Amino acid sequence: MSRRTSFSRAAVTVAVVALAAAGCGKSSNEADSGSDKNSSGYTGKGIGLAYDIGGKGDQSFNDAAYAGFEQAEKEFKIGGRDIEPQDGESNADKVQRLEQLAKAGYNPVIGVGFVYGPAVKEVAAKFPKITFGIIDDETVKADNVADLVFHEEQASFLAGVAAAKATKKDHIGFIGGVDIPLIHKFEAGYEQGAKSVNPKIKIESQYLTETAQEGGFSSPDKGKDAANGQIEAGADVIYHAAGLSGQGVIQAAAEHKVWAVGVDSDQYEQKALAKYKDYILGSALKNVGGAVYELSKSVYEGKPLTGVQRGDLKSGGVGFADSNPKYKALTDVVSAVDKAKQEIIDGKVTVNTK
């Protein structure tokens, strides 16, 4: 059944709450014992989740997916298995991982990240009765595949507005994990948002690697080195779209007592980043957890989502986290972000993707 949906605000709340437990739940080899059939008519073994580079515990992208996975397991009382990636793995390894989940009877089977695109395409064709999901990719077109994508640039626009209002030097930074079109969307929105506040603002921009295999999304040391360089150049607010590498960005910002802006998850709330949280201005949210939850729910209810499912500001699929009391105290920053959000929702502002 093909239908378009938004990632519900309820799922947003669920994902934020569940993230507190992400990274310390079941191991990737543990599977709950779900019944083969329950009152809803669901006959699968549970949810199969295959992580992107960096794996569970990144306090960002993968942990957001885990939050939705965990909530769906609990709410629907079904099983689940989540599997970690391996360093330097090939597409064949991803194919094998997804086939393993499908053969075991997990439904849906979800690949976390665009790197799963070719593998999802191949495996979904072999298992037409199982619903597959892929996050951050919309190139796989099949009757049993849901492309779970987002308007990342909209959340990044808000991050840019916040950064431009919070900087004391009119000098900010952006650090992308890998130099690819997906991360260009984050940079484009951030730059446009910042320049909507101050057209003359100076923006440092850097990508950690050319390819994911080089560790751009999984190397906190690379993130820290890049952030230190931007801070030394004069930036006093730095936004990262770098997955696990972003932990290094946040650490560097805290050590220099400047602002960092997180990504994907509300990084102010992440336990692993607690010692740095006072310097996390906010986070550009992408409701990956809500997407995982909604797809799992649709399969459980016997009405599986397929086709492109895109989250935006209007639906709550993306947003800007305001958990830090220090951010809330910056009333001019909050007001500017709220105004920008409403203008995007109302169609008065169209955010660039390049």
Side-chain angles (χ1 to χ4, degrees), residues 7 10 28 30 41 67 70 99 111 116 129 132 145 177 180 187 206 214 256 285 295 314 326 350-351:
F7 308 136
S28 60
E30 181 181 348
E70 184 180 46
E99 284 187 342
Y116 279 96
K129 294 184 179 180
F132 290 81
V145 175
I180 54 175
E187 181 185 12
Q206 181 176 350
E214 296 172 279
H256 288 277
L285 299 175
L295 180 59
K314 187 174 183 178
K326 291 185 177 180
T350 299
V351 185

Side-chain angles (χ1 to χ4, degrees), residues 21-54:
C24 57
K26 72 169 61 67
S27 72
S28 60
N29 290 320
E30 181 181 348
D32 288 340
S33 56
S35 62
D36 290 336
K37 188 170 183 178
N38 55 41
S39 58
S40 76
Y42 175 75
T43 58
K45 189 174 182 179
I47 308 158
L49 191 71
Y51 292 114
D52 196 3
I53 295 166

Side-chain angles (χ1 to χ4, degrees), residues 12 19 81 90 93 112 116 145 151 158 162 168 206 227 294 314 354:
V12 175
L19 273 167
R81 185 177 183 190
S90 66
D93 295 317
V112 184
Y116 279 96
V145 175
H151 280 294
L158 302 186
K168 296 178 179 178
Q206 181 176 350
E294 293 287 355
K314 187 174 183 178
K354 297 181 180 180

Side-chain angles (χ1 to χ4, degrees), residues 2 17 51 57 76 103 105 127 146 157 200-201 214 223 228 248 259 274 276 280 285 290 313 350 352-353:
S2 180
V17 172
Y51 292 114
F76 308 128
K103 286 179 180 177
F127 297 88
F157 186 101
K200 296 182 179 180
I201 194 168
E214 296 172 279
N228 282 332
W259 288 119
Y276 312 121
I280 301 175
L285 299 175
L313 279 177
T350 299
N352 300 329
T353 58

